[in-house]
Amino acid sequence: MQQKHILSLLGIIAGAFLFTFGLNNFIIANKLAEGGFVGVSLLLLYQFDIPLGLSFLALNIPLFFIGWRRFGRQFIVKTIVGVVAVSVASEVTQGWFQMGVQDRLLAGLYGGVFAGLGLGLIFRCGGTTGGVDIIARIVNHRFGWSMGRTIFAVDVIVITAIAFIVGIDNAMYSLVALFVAARVIDVVVEGVSNSKAMFIISTDPQAIADKIHTELERGTTLLKGIGGYTGQDKEVLYVVVSREEIARIQEMCREIDPTAFLVVNDVHDVLGEGFNPLAKQR
């Protein structure tokens, strides 16, 4: 347990360095903006030359108390580590591998990738970088919205507010960085989905299930349902498979019941027999 806790803290620190590396090399170097408290800190940097690390730390201190009351001691410790790591790393990484990228579109794209990788790693390790990240975690817990989507929505508001400082063009390129970062965050936190959940409504679901058991060696579940239009009882077949197996199941349905109705959804973190062992859940 202690080793897992230490690895989480190291992951948060590594994420902070990834985030600030992209911030210094792409975002700040091209006078682009960020969202949340980082965006406010950038505004103070551009306008008053206040070091980003100093203002970012000062802005987050009040939120430490909110995090303590809402999530408890372990969360606030990781939040403090994340905030301090970002504050320190933002100063340390200023001279690292200066690439001199002057194309603002490329800067927005790559800045978003590094920001997403860094923030996603921090989130996956159970930490935050304070500010909007705490708000995003609360919304995620209460409403199930992805943290990347929540951060992007809030950041649009912040970007709009500071567009008058950095310029409309720069603000628009900054939105590109924010969108890319939001998508990368979701990929890092949730993983790249290679699994699909299939709902199959058929006149002979058991025959389809038997064929899946025999040919794919996948488990299935029969759910009780009622037709919304007919009012008749139905059995809905539910199965989770790999992306490569979807076509085979579609062919099975064509052979057994060409009138079958199929719905395919992305699923993440599939744990259990035939997929990732449950014991390895993070």
Side-chain angles (χ1 to χ4, degrees):
M1 190 67 180
Q2 185 67 22
Q3 183 181 7
K4 183 178 179 180
H5 184 63
I6 293 174
L7 289 175
S8 295
L9 294 179
L10 291 176
I12 292 171
I13 294 172
F17 274 85
L18 277 172
F19 173 47
T20 55
F21 173 78
L23 200 64
N24 282 316
N25 274 276
F26 301 105
I27 304 300
I28 296 177
N30 289 273
K31 288 288 185 178
L32 301 183
E34 264 286 347
F37 280 13
V38 173
V40 177
S41 297
L42 286 175
L43 175 61
L44 295 173
L45 173 66
Y46 295 151
Q47 286 293 97
F48 307 107
D49 203 27
I50 298 175
L52 184 144
L54 178 62
S55 59
F56 182 70
L57 180 60
L59 288 169
N60 273 287
I61 289 176
L63 290 176
F64 291 160
F65 298 99
I66 297 176
W68 179 279
R69 293 167 61 184
R70 178 65 177 82
F71 298 107
R73 178 177 176 275
Q74 184 176 0
F75 171 81
I76 199 60
V77 168
K78 290 184 176 181
T79 299
I80 292 174
V81 171
V83 170
V84 172
V86 168
S87 299
V88 173
S90 65
E91 303 300 320
V92 173
T93 58
Q94 283 186 17
W96 284 14
F97 308 107
Q98 296 183 6
M99 300 179 183
V101 176
Q102 297 180 350
D103 187 305
R104 288 178 295 180
L105 179 58
L106 287 178
L109 290 172
Y110 283 97
V113 169
F114 275 98
L117 288 173
L119 292 174
L121 182 57
I122 291 172
F123 292 153
R124 193 175 180 90
C125 292
T128 76
T129 56
V132 178
D133 300 345
I134 292 179
I135 298 173
R137 187 170 289 272
I138 292 174
V139 172
N140 177 260
H141 281 202
R142 290 189 176 182
F143 305 107
W145 295 2
S146 72
M147 290 190 293
R149 184 183 305 171
T150 303
I151 290 172
F152 179 71
V154 176
D155 287 350
V156 167
I157 300 173
V158 177
I159 290 293
T160 301
I162 66 175
F164 298 100
I165 304 300
V166 299
I168 298 297
D169 288 350
N170 281 24
M172 293 178 70
Y173 284 116
S174 299
L175 286 174
V176 173
L178 289 173
F179 178 78
V180 172
R183 301 306 302 163
V184 175
I185 286 172
D186 287 342
V187 169
V188 174
V189 173
E190 300 173 359
V192 179
S193 176
N194 187 48
S195 299
K196 303 287 184 178
M198 300 186 70
F199 291 92
I200 304 172
I201 301 175
S202 169
T203 56
D204 195 356
Q206 188 60 62
I208 297 174
D210 291 341
K211 201 168 185 64
I212 292 173
H213 301 161
T214 302
E215 297 189 12
L216 299 182
E217 297 184 350
R218 293 291 191 191
T220 62
T221 301
L222 289 172
L223 307 174
K224 297 295 183 181
I226 300 176
Y229 180 74
T230 64
Q232 297 178 349
D233 291 338
K234 292 179 178 292
E235 286 187 324
V236 180
L237 179 63
Y238 178 77
V239 60
V240 177
V241 297
S242 67
R243 183 184 291 111
E244 294 77 13
E245 292 169 329
I246 292 177
R248 295 180 63 185
I249 293 181
Q250 290 174 339
E251 186 60 33
M252 294 176 190
C253 292
R254 291 190 189 96
E255 293 176 3
I256 298 172
D257 180 12
T259 64
F261 183 79
L262 282 70
V263 178
V264 183
N265 294 320
D266 286 327
V267 290
H268 300 277
D269 292 335
V270 180
L271 305 171
E273 185 176 354
F275 296 93
N276 296 324
L278 185 61
K280 291 185 179 180
Q281 184 177 14
R282 63 181 184 275

